């Protein structure tokens, strides 16, 4: 091979190698998206000044929040220069929350920031000053206030309306949902799947579930849920579906008892009357014998009288 051919071959080789590095992306496969930092949570601060030994503060939350809890205690009888302070969640001490609290400006101060993003983060948070004082913060979504506490009774084939309300002082939920219980778990009710059977009518602070063509199998617990961004709060109602014969059962039981009692009385009287009949027959026979003897005696007396007259 001549030098010119070798040089040409070497140039072609370099060209092929350079072409392979022009585009290294695989066609049809999108590039990895860039990481976007999450939106920071809105912040809120709740502070309590404690002058006694304990206090409970209820905090209603609707949305995820970065919550700063601040506790101030004026101290007990012995105002030590410093005491141990720590935090609890649902009665359990939070790891790495224990520290030394200084007595400054005639008070002890304890502060901690919590990220409350979902239902698991709700509950009871407590700041504890030694073994002498504590403040409880109860974090929860608004509770459903107006729910019927007695069972709703309806009949097979009828329709029933179940209702839940949120108090006027409570924040209205984003929406409402309903569940039924099959004995082991809650199953959400979707009216669109069975429009002939279910209707859900939602208002700002009120919801109604309408169930048509009731069956005995519809009996059980139903749950209304007020949906907030942080969690869903629920209330329960009990439904009893009975047949038309159910209310008559007590009456029929009374009638049966009366029939049995009357029958027993009649049988008893009949048995007693049968026992009295033989004695009555004997008495009647004795009376007949006595009457016949009297008649014979009378006949004999009259005949003797006639004979004397002769």
């Amino acid at each position: 091979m001549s030098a010119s051919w070798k040089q040409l071959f070497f140039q072609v080789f370099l060209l092929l190698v350079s072409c392979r590095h022009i585009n290294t992306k695989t066609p049809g496969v999108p590039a990895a998206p860039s990481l976007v930092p999450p939106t920071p949570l809105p912040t809120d601060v709740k502070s309590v000044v404690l002058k006694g030994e304990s206090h409970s503060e209820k905090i209603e939350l609707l949305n995820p929040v970065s919550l700063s809890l601040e506790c101030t205690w004026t101290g007990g009888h012995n105002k030590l220069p410093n005491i141990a302070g720590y935090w609890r969640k649902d009665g359990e001490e939070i790891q790495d929350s224990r520290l030394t609290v200084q007595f400054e400006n005639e008070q002890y101060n304890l502060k901690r920031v919590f990220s409350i993003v979902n239902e698991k983060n709700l509950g009871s948070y407590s700041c504890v000053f030694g073994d002498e004082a504590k403040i409880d913060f109860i974090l929860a979504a608004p509770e459903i206030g107006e729910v019927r506490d007695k069972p709703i009774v309806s009949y097979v084939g009828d329709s029933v309306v179940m209702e839940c309300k949120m108090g006027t002082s409570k924040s209205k939920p984003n929406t409402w949902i309903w569940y039924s219980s099959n004995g082991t778990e809650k199953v959400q009710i979707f009216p669109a799947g069975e429009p002939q059977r279910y209707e859900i009518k939602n208002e700002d602070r009120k919801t109604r579930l309408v169930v048509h063509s009731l069956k005995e199998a519809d009996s059980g617990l139903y749950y209304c849920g007020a949906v907030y961004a942080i969690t869903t709060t629920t209330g329960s109602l009990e439904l009893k579906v009975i047949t038309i014969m159910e209310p008559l059962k007590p009456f029929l039981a009374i009638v049966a008892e009366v029939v049995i009692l009357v029958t027993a009385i009649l049988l008893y009287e009949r048995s007693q009357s049968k026992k009295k009949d033989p004695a009555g027959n004997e008495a009647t026979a004795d009376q007949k014998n006595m009457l016949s003897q009297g008649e014979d005696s009378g006949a004999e007396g009259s005949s003797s009288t006639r004979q004397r007259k002769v």
Side-chain angles (χ1 to χ4, degrees), residues 231-306:
T231 188
T232 298
T233 57
T234 59
S236 62
L237 303 95
E238 184 179 1
L239 174 64
K240 289 185 177 181
V241 182
I242 60 177
T243 63
I244 194 64
M245 292 298 295
E246 194 72 23
L248 298 178
K249 286 182 179 179
F251 174 75
L252 295 176
I254 294 174
V255 171
E257 291 178 359
V258 172
V259 170
I260 293 172
L261 181 61
V262 171
T263 303
I265 293 173
L266 292 176
L267 292 175
Y268 176 77
E269 292 182 348
R270 185 175 179 181
S271 64
Q272 292 298 316
S273 62
K274 286 183 177 180
K275 291 179 180 180
K276 292 178 181 180
D277 283 343
N281 292 334
E282 291 177 0
T284 302
D286 292 340
Q287 290 176 0
K288 288 181 179 180
N289 292 333
M290 292 176 66
L291 289 174
S292 60
Q293 291 176 0
E295 289 176 356
D296 293 342
S297 300
E300 291 177 357
S302 60
S303 61
S304 62
T305 302
R306 287 195 296 270

Side-chain angles (χ1 to χ4, degrees), residues 130-196:
D131 296 324
E132 301 182 49
K134 70 170 183 171
I135 300 173
D136 296 323
F137 297 91
I138 311 301
L139 278 54
E143 296 180 356
I144 298 174
E146 299 184 33
V147 180
R148 183 186 177 99
D149 56 352
K150 295 182 180 179
I152 300 172
V153 180
S154 191
Y155 295 98
V156 172
D158 287 352
S159 298
V160 67
V161 179
M162 291 175 277
E163 182 178 273
C164 291
K165 292 181 181 180
M166 187 70 69
T168 55
S169 62
K170 305 289 185 178
S171 299
K172 63 180 182 180
N174 299 333
T175 187
W176 292 87
I177 55 178
W178 282 87
Y179 301 90
S180 63
S181 175
N182 61 4
T184 57
E185 60 182 5
K186 293 188 294 185
V187 179
Q188 186 173 348
I189 298 173
F190 295 100
E194 298 181 83
Q196 297 82 10

Side-chain angles (χ1 to χ4, degrees), residues 88-115:
R88 292 176 181 168
K89 168 68 165 67
D90 298 329
E92 297 292 332
E93 183 175 340
I94 297 175
Q95 188 176 5
D96 299 328
S97 68
R98 187 175 289 267
L99 49 79
T100 300
V101 183
Q102 304 293 330
F103 187 70
E104 299 176 347
N105 300 323
E106 299 297 320
Q107 61 189 16
Y108 301 98
N109 294 290
L110 196 56
K111 175 182 176 181
R112 191 177 178 93
V113 178
F114 298 93
S115 295

